Structure formats: C-alpha cells, structure tokens
Amino acid sequence: MKDNKLVKVKLNDKSEKNLSRRDFFKKSLFYSVGALGTSAISPTLLSANEKEIMQEAPWGTKLGDPVDKNLYGIPSAYEHNNIRRTHDLLSSGDSYASISMCPIHESEGIITPNGLFFTRNHGGTAQVNPNEWRLMIHGKVKKPIVLTLEELKKYPSETRIHFIECPANGSPEWRGPQFNSLQFMKGMMSSAQWTGVMLKTILEDIGLEKDAVWMLAEGSDDASNPRTIPVEKALDDIMVAWAQNGEALRPEQGYPVRLIVPGWEGNLNTKWLRRLEFSDKPWHSKEETSKYTMLQKSGKAIQYFWANEVNSVITSPCPEKPWTHLKKGDLVEVEGLAWSGTGTIKHVDISLDGGDNWIEANLKGLVLPKSWTRFSYMMRWEGKPLFLSSRATDDNNHTQPTIDQETSKVGVESVYHRNAIVTWEITKKGECNNVQIRKHKKA
Ligand SMILES: Nc1nc2c(c(=O)[nH]1)N[C@H]1C(S)=C(S)[C@@H](COP(=O)(O)O)O[C@H]1N2
Ligand SMILES: [Mo]
C-alpha cells in the first residue's frame, strides 16, 4: 500500500521521460511486492503480518466510483506506462508521416488492446464519416459495385486473429544495436482479432474476370497508400475488416474499413479503404505501384517481397523488464512472441549461451496461422551472465537466420524484412541489454 506513491499518474504524458529505467524499475518492484506469487518464485510467507493484510486499504474505506463514471472504460491510472511511444529515429520528421510503437514488452497473450495498436500513417489519421464512406470494386470484375457500410455488412462475416507487422520493424538495427528497448526495437507490430468479410466471398458474388491477376487497393486518406496485390492472395485469405477485438476499428487503424492481408507486409493492409480495382497487368504509374523493395548485397533489389518471414523475440526479460529484482537461484519464466507470415509456428528454441546450445520452449495458448504465438521457458537463474536468444521455426520449416546468415545474403543497406535471431545480454546484476550476437552454431 505504501507503493501507492511510486506511480505518478500522468495519463497522457507521451514524453520520453516516461521511458526512464528508474520508472520501469519502480514499476516492476511494485509488482514484485504486490502481485507476484506462485510457489516457484518464493512469495512472502504467511506470518505475523496476517492482520495487516486484513486491515482496510484506502480504497476499502469509502465508496468506489459510480458505474457510469466511464461509459467507455479506460485502464487503471497505475498503468500509465503502458502506452505507444514515438521516436525521432523512426519517423520522417513529423507526426503525420510517422509511426507509434506498440509496447510489446507489456503485452500479455496474443492480442493487442485497441488503444495500444502500433500506428503507421503516411498522411495522418483520417477521421472518416461512416455514413459517407463507400467502397468501389471495379476493373476486371463482371459486376462492378459501390458498397455502403451497411451493404458491406450484409455479407457473411468471419473472425480471425492475425498480427500486422510493418516490414520495416527492426530497420534501424541492420548495422548494429540502436535501442536498448524492446518497444523501439520490435514495436512496429501488433495483433488483433479482426471481423469482416472474406474478399473471396465478395468476389464470388460479383464475379472476377478470368484474366484478372492484380488487385489495386487504395485508401481514402491523404496518402491513399495504393498497393498492388496478386489476385491469388485476394482469393486466399484477405479480409475486408470493420471490427477489431470486438468493436469498430479505431480511427488510427482505418475506421470504418481496412484490408487485412494476413502475414504479408503491413503496408499492404490498406486503411480507410475506398477502392479495389482488378487488372490483368500491374500498375505502372509511380503512385500506383509504390511498394517496398528489398536492396540486396549485389546492388539489385527484390521488387515483390510479400510475406513477413518467421520471427521471434523474448519479451521477458527485455531491456525494459530486466532481472535486477531476482536473487541467485530464483526460478523465472522466459517468455516471448513468435510469428510467421508464411505459416504456423511449429517450435521455438531458446539459447542461454548466445546460440551454442538450444532447448525447446513450450508454446502456450492458441497456436494459429499467421498469428502471434506465445512461448515460455521456466529456468533457474544462478546470477551468472547469459546471452538469451530465441529461434522460431514455422510449419513450412522456415527458421530464423543468424545475423551473419541474414547479412551475408542481403547486406546491411536493407531496411525491410529483418528476421535475424535477437539476443539479450543478461549481466550478473540482472540487467538486460540489446546486443547482436553475429554467429550462432547450428543446433
Ligand atoms: N490508407 C493507408 N493505409 C495504410 C497506411 C497509410 O498510411 N494509409 N500505412 C500502411 C503501413 S506502412 C502499415 S505498416 C500499416 C500499419 O497499420 P496500423 O497503423 O493499423 O498499425 O498500415 C498500412 N495501411
Ligand atoms: Mo509499414
């Protein structure tokens, strides 16, 4: 109860000050005193202070808030540190063509709460009036249509869990570690349960011409984000989505309707969707073909690079959640996220020595295709320095490369598609640092 004053309530403070180590450290202390407790991690034993716990806490001596205080609920004020964050290194110099990073170090399970979903805009967040919103589907289709939101929702809906990852996730790190922070290092991704109609259902209804091979998806925001996508993907698992985690999409995520392109580059997931055009050839004007490319060591670029590769990262510990509160011999859970745009996570291996030896972690909870997957490994920390790495494999037998394997192929000038193994250094004090171990031995 004394810990009350540890947490300063600054709900809308986006300043970098919130990121200070001290703040995180205080917060984890707060939890270790107040909330942790399974026999494995030695909770405080029940003893003479039994009475103290039965004394009334400040919040138990008066009425609480009325139920109609927040008709749309907000998190506890004590959770003020669990916010999206921005960084100059990761924006184009303003807050409109910019990105806010998801606090994945605070994430639990495989769903990102809507208010914490990372946001990548090229022309700001459009505020769209759903009554005026329309979706045009035309080009090489038998029956071109314009749908209102109400008409769109007449199609049978589906609900699926998928991550969205900007292919630039981790992009500042090609030449070496840049951030001692998981949020800034890997926070260009989030995951949600999406509801909408499978694009295939609409296309079966209106009829696709036989020679339609490309689809152009365009948004109604200032940037419009036109992207070309192969028709095969449209007929496979693309969704036209209007809901996110059980409610309407957030404006930042493309309200009222966005495209969900499971597992593929985040930029293809066009927000504030207004138009889908089908064609027998790709578009050639600069605006219409804008598409990320991947520069290789040879100097040539890969033009079409769709799926985000198999990837993983340990989320606890991480630089924001070190082991400085642990004692020698404590049992501790190593946890993390694995994901793949090319399938379902099959297994995740953990290394304590920077890749000389690997041990298989447990997958927990739901294991779904093109979806975040939680892994967990219980271990005893002997207070010795470690190099903690995770390495994921998907059901198409794609495995994460070492940094050396990845850069030997694509060099260090790349921006996109970084999926090399991430290593945290644990010091003997329990601090956690972002280091890059370049060579890992084969398992
Ligand atoms: N209309 C439109 N759609 C867009 C963008 C945009 O700027 N405008 N940004 C794209 C990029 S680059 C990414 S990574 C994803 C991010 O989705 P999110 O903001 O919901 O996280 O949206 C994509 N869709
Ligand atoms: Mo992106």
Side-chain angles (χ1 to χ4, degrees):
M1 334 272 123
K2 273 178 249 130
D3 294 298
N4 262 346
K5 57 178 178 313
L6 288 180
V7 186
K8 278 195 195 126
V9 181
K10 270 196 240 159
L11 266 182
N12 293 313
D13 188 352
K14 288 192 206 122
S15 75
E16 298 286 310
K17 270 177 256 149
N18 270 353
L19 249 193
S20 85
R21 270 293 186 80
R22 242 176 90 233
D23 215 4
F24 279 112
F25 182 61
K26 277 183 183 172
K27 201 176 171 200
S28 56
L29 258 186
F30 176 73
Y31 283 122
S32 61
V33 175
L36 287 182
T38 75
S39 57
I41 48 170
S42 320
T44 310
L45 289 174
L46 184 61
S47 61
N49 58 18
E50 236 170 297
K51 273 189 193 138
E52 202 178 295
I53 202 85
M54 294 309 292
Q55 270 167 19
E56 278 190 293
W59 50 83
T61 55
K62 58 177 185 342
L63 282 175
D65 293 333
V67 289
D68 54 359
K69 187 188 175 198
N70 294 314
L71 289 174
Y72 193 100
I74 55 166
S76 160
Y78 293 94
E79 296 301 315
H80 72 290
N81 258 330
N82 193 13
I83 50 171
R84 296 184 281 222
R85 289 182 173 86
T86 58
H87 196 287
D88 287 348
L89 245 186
L90 298 165
S91 76
S92 339
D94 62 47
S95 315
Y96 301 95
S98 196
I99 189 155
S100 66
M101 313 289 284
C102 178
I104 53 172
H105 59 292
E106 294 281 6
S107 158
E108 306 275 6
I110 58 164
I111 296 291
T112 309
N114 290 341
L116 296 175
F117 208 94
F118 90 103
T119 300
R120 172 71 174 113
N121 293 335
H122 295 83
T125 295
Q127 299 293 341
V128 177
N129 178 340
N131 303 315
E132 285 167 25
W133 177 87
R134 298 288 183 274
L135 173 63
M136 174 160 74
I137 306 180
H138 67 137
K140 289 209 166 277
V141 293
K142 298 207 171 83
K143 201 172 70 180
I145 51 170
V146 176
L147 292 166
T148 63
L149 190 54
E150 207 183 318
E151 286 163 342
L152 178 70
K153 289 184 178 176
K154 284 183 184 161
Y155 284 107
S157 67
E158 290 235 8
T159 295
R160 296 188 177 188
I161 295 174
H162 290 297
F163 66 85
I164 295 181
E165 182 185 24
C166 176
N169 201 11
S171 62
E173 304 254 322
W174 283 95
R175 287 163 187 276
Q178 293 293 329
F179 296 110
N180 219 18
S181 150
L182 174 59
Q183 181 169 21
F184 287 139
M185 201 183 146
K186 285 281 182 195
M188 281 188 208
M189 62 168 180
S190 294
S191 159
Q193 175 194 268
W194 308 101
T195 301
V197 49
M198 301 308 291
L199 182 50
K200 183 178 173 222
T201 306
I202 304 180
L203 294 176
E204 277 166 0
D205 182 34
I206 66 175
L208 204 53
E209 300 282 2
K210 276 206 188 71
D211 56 347
V213 285
W214 290 100
M215 175 177 84
L216 177 81
E218 187 183 80
S220 60
D221 55 322
D222 190 53
S224 81
N225 197 68
R227 290 293 187 274
T228 45
I229 301 172
V231 159
E232 287 142 56
K233 182 69 174 173
L235 293 174
D236 178 18
D237 58 1
I238 292 185
M239 289 175 87
V240 180
W242 55 79
Q244 173 187 359
N245 296 331
E247 63 177 356
L249 296 178
R250 289 291 167 90
E252 296 94 315
Q253 269 55 64
Y255 178 87
V257 174
R258 82 177 301 167
L259 220 54
I260 297 295
V261 186
W264 285 21
E265 294 185 336
N267 62 91
L268 305 171
N269 294 252
T270 305
K271 304 192 277 188
W272 313 288
L273 187 67
R274 96 170 147 203
R275 191 164 78 89
L276 295 172
E277 185 182 345
F278 290 84
S279 172
D280 54 352
K281 46 189 178 307
W283 281 260
H284 285 300
S285 79
K286 203 174 164 233
E287 301 78 60
E288 288 176 334
T289 51
S290 58
K291 166 77 188 66
Y292 299 163
T293 55
M294 175 116 170
L295 189 61
Q296 295 197 285
K297 227 180 172 180
S298 62
K300 289 191 173 169
I302 302 174
Q303 188 182 4
Y304 293 118
F305 216 99
W306 308 112
N308 285 316
E309 294 78 1
V310 63
N311 217 332
S312 73
V313 71
I314 293 171
T315 57
S316 181
C318 68
E320 293 97 325
K321 283 195 165 172
W323 281 353
T324 40
H325 61 290
L326 291 189
K327 297 183 305 292
K328 193 177 164 190
D330 274 354
L331 271 172
V332 62
E333 184 176 24
V334 174
E335 250 202 84
L337 288 169
W339 65 101
S340 171
T342 58
T344 306
I345 294 299
K346 200 166 79 183
H347 62 92
V348 178
D349 301 311
I350 300 280
S351 177
L352 308 181
D353 53 16
D356 287 342
N357 298 285
W358 295 94
I359 324 143
E360 192 168 342
N362 295 312
L363 301 185
K364 38 177 188 182
L366 295 171
V367 180
L368 298 169
K370 299 165 190 173
S371 198
W372 274 3
T373 302
R374 275 268 158 201
F375 62 85
S376 158
Y377 177 67
M378 285 302 295
M379 61 172 279
R380 196 176 293 281
W381 185 52
E382 297 298 354
K384 294 205 184 94
L386 302 174
F387 289 99
L388 270 181
S389 316
S390 65
R391 183 185 62 187
T393 301
D394 71 14
D395 60 351
N396 282 305
N397 286 324
H398 294 132
T399 298
Q400 286 180 260
T402 64
I403 292 176
D404 270 0
Q405 285 165 350
E406 183 160 55
T407 53
S408 70
K409 259 206 214 148
V410 297
V412 293
E413 302 297 331
S414 287
V415 174
Y416 304 112
H417 292 270
R418 184 178 172 81
N419 73 322
I421 294 167
V422 172
T423 302
W424 301 132
E425 173 197 42
I426 304 294
T427 68
K428 59 175 194 280
K429 285 185 186 157
E431 296 142 330
C432 180
N433 297 311
N434 174 17
V435 291
Q436 292 191 354
I437 301 271
R438 307 198 61 87
K439 285 197 167 80
H440 291 265
K441 288 183 194 160
K442 277 258 160 72

